[in-house]
Amino acid sequence: IFSLVFLGSHDSFSFYIDEASPVGPEQPETVQNFVSVFGTVAKKLMRKWLATQTMNFTSQLGAGIRYFDLRISTKPRDPDNELYFAHGLFSAKVKEGLEEINAFLTEHPKEVVFLDFNHFYGMQKCHHEKLVQMLKDTYGNKMCPAIFAHEVSLQYLWEKEHQVLVFYHSPVAVEVAFLWPGQMMPAPWANTTDTEKLIQFLQASITERRKKGSFFISQVVLTPKASTVVKGVASGLRETITER
């Protein structure tokens, strides 16, 4: 028995957070009010804390990233009814991001990616149907149907010519053969700025999750608290947390 480890990125799409976009529907009223008062200045400060990535999907793939953390939202009063990646503010259109990843897979037929759709904001049944159809149109037979995790090996995926595993944290997953239920990709969150606590959490969670027979995520990330943001509001995530 052996395990495969793939590198992943957190809020994978956040390289293109748009300061001109509305605030995401998941944001609390305090943030909404802050932006309504301070406008563009507030959004520029928000972006410094929300953009957890500096590379687009193609560059991340080139750097070895194979797991993508994806959060999807509708945009208020959007006449095109598009789906967007979102993290506080809106990022790129989902369709464009999926196509970018697909272009890499077409050029590298033995590469495999994990797409983890783990947060949905402002989405109704019709939006989920639109996203499912978008996945079908983009990846087609590249997607691996949901089976038992222990049956998935690189050899199996290569033989079947599957390159994409889609994890979908919504009841919609049980209705679509190529959507893996979200519980098959658990991602416990340490929620700390303390590196020692993070390491202890990761060690304990790895031991526990190996017993469950599913994929799992080790979130090796420090999470700023409200007080952290207040202290470093102008400097941002990179200087306050990442460089440390």
Side-chain angles (χ1 to χ4, degrees):
I1 297 175
F2 63 93
S3 299
L4 288 175
V5 178
F6 295 89
L7 296 179
S9 57
H10 178 65
D11 287 312
S12 306
F13 49 83
S14 60
F15 57 89
Y16 186 64
I17 284 179
D18 183 5
E19 295 170 6
S21 79
V23 177
E26 84 283 8
Q27 290 301 296
E29 188 176 351
T30 52
V31 174
Q32 303 278 357
N33 292 338
F34 176 63
V35 171
S36 67
V37 173
F38 295 100
T40 303
V41 173
K43 291 180 183 180
K44 286 182 180 295
L45 293 174
M46 285 178 68
R47 191 186 191 286
K48 287 187 174 185
W49 285 94
L50 297 173
T52 61
Q53 305 299 328
T54 59
M55 295 190 292
N56 62 20
F57 288 131
T58 301
S59 296
Q60 289 184 47
L61 286 160
I65 297 298
R66 295 295 180 269
Y67 164 87
F68 293 93
D69 165 22
L70 306 173
R71 302 158 193 231
I72 313 302
S73 181
T74 57
K75 186 183 289 187
R77 299 176 296 280
D78 177 25
D80 299 323
N81 200 28
E82 285 281 358
L83 297 176
Y84 296 84
F85 298 113
H87 185 217
L89 297 169
F90 290 94
S91 181
K93 293 179 181 178
V94 173
K95 188 174 189 295
E96 295 172 356
L98 298 182
E99 289 174 347
E100 187 177 347
I101 293 171
N102 187 53
F104 175 88
L105 295 175
T106 300
E107 290 182 15
H108 304 85
K110 284 203 167 185
E111 294 295 341
V112 175
V113 298
F114 298 78
L115 305 183
D116 190 8
F117 293 85
N118 52 62
H119 287 73
F120 300 101
Y121 306 113
M123 288 183 61
Q124 300 174 359
K125 183 179 179 181
C126 62
H127 299 115
H128 284 286
E129 291 173 348
K130 180 173 183 173
L131 181 52
V132 168
Q133 188 61 49
M134 196 182 296
L135 288 164
K136 286 181 183 177
D137 293 343
T138 305
Y139 298 117
N141 292 331
K142 285 189 177 84
M143 290 186 292
C144 177
I147 53 178
F148 292 108
H150 68 265
E151 295 179 12
V152 179
S153 66
L154 283 177
Q155 191 61 45
Y156 171 85
L157 295 171
W158 291 337
E159 288 174 359
K160 300 290 185 180
E161 298 185 349
H162 296 320
Q163 294 180 268
V164 183
L165 279 74
V166 178
F167 295 85
Y168 208 84
H169 295 245
S170 162
V172 172
V174 301
E175 304 169 10
V176 183
F178 61 78
L179 296 182
W180 292 66
Q183 62 265 30
M184 293 295 291
M185 186 63 91
W189 176 37
N191 191 17
T192 181
T193 57
D194 186 308
T195 53
E196 290 300 321
K197 288 181 180 178
L198 174 63
I199 291 168
Q200 291 170 9
F201 177 85
L202 291 169
Q203 289 173 335
S205 60
I206 287 174
T207 302
E208 180 62 28
R209 282 176 287 167
R210 278 179 176 159
K211 303 172 185 175
K212 296 184 178 179
S214 67
F215 299 95
F216 64 86
I217 300 164
S218 292
Q219 294 202 59
V220 191
V221 293
L222 297 173
T223 305
K225 298 178 289 189
S227 58
T228 315
V229 177
V230 170
K231 288 178 184 176
V233 64
S235 56
L237 181 66
R238 174 176 289 273
E239 292 180 26
T240 307
I241 295 288
T242 310
E243 294 301 332
R244 188 182 77 187

